[in-house]
Amino acid sequence: MIRLYEPRLDEAEVVRLIKDELIPLSHTVHQHDAQTIRELPKRFRRGVTYVASLSKKSPPISFLHFEVMGEVLYLDMMVTHPDHRNRQWGRKLIAQSEAYGRSQNCIIARLFVDQINGKAHQLYSKLGYQTVRYYPELRCFEMLKPLTPL
């Protein structure tokens, strides 16, 4: 099931997923960067986070955090636990966030994907995102997708 992030219920597992699965792929953040970890709750309050879980009260197995910035839906972070990959959770979370963006009159979705994360890059491409730029200093690609009204 896809539901809204509940900090008391979800924060510990989401932070663990970020530390274990997302940060190791980043060129700009280190796994033991205490400041980055401390700032995560503030970052989550700035946008919307959906989690995928097996029940209403079970820990997240996947999540997607995003923000609306004017007419841009900015997909910030997405992680799926390795034991639950290839089960469409990422695809469902992205679809949910894009629907939210459309409801907020966003006309484009934007994300960055680390160069080393080929599987994520491939998923985003399959979902209609186009690579528009590579940032060598960050070692990541910028991808965009037009959001047409439903």
Side-chain angles (χ1 to χ4, degrees), residues 2 8 13 36 47 64 84 89 94-95 103 108:
I2 306 289
R8 285 193 333 265
E13 181 61 12
T36 299
L64 173 61
H84 297 278
W89 292 115
I94 290 169
S103 77
I108 198 156

Side-chain angles (χ1 to χ4, degrees), residues 31-74:
Q31 199 165 8
H32 301 293
D33 186 346
Q35 182 177 350
T36 299
I37 302 303
R38 274 195 312 273
E39 291 174 356
L40 285 172
K42 181 179 175 184
R43 190 169 173 177
F44 281 113
R45 286 192 298 273
R46 278 198 317 257
V48 177
T49 305
Y50 289 132
V51 299
S53 61
L54 299 177
S55 71
K56 283 184 179 181
K57 299 297 179 187
S58 65
I61 56 176
S62 186
F63 79 91
L64 173 61
H65 175 73
F66 59 92
E67 294 183 48
V68 171
M69 299 176 180
E71 295 181 325
V72 177
L73 174 68
Y74 174 59

Side-chain angles (χ1 to χ4, degrees), residues 108-126:
I108 198 156
R110 178 182 190 214
L111 61 86
F112 291 87
V113 61
D114 292 295
Q115 174 186 357
I116 196 171
N117 198 349
K119 284 192 168 201
H121 197 178
Q122 186 177 27
L123 170 65
Y124 300 136
S125 293
K126 283 182 184 176

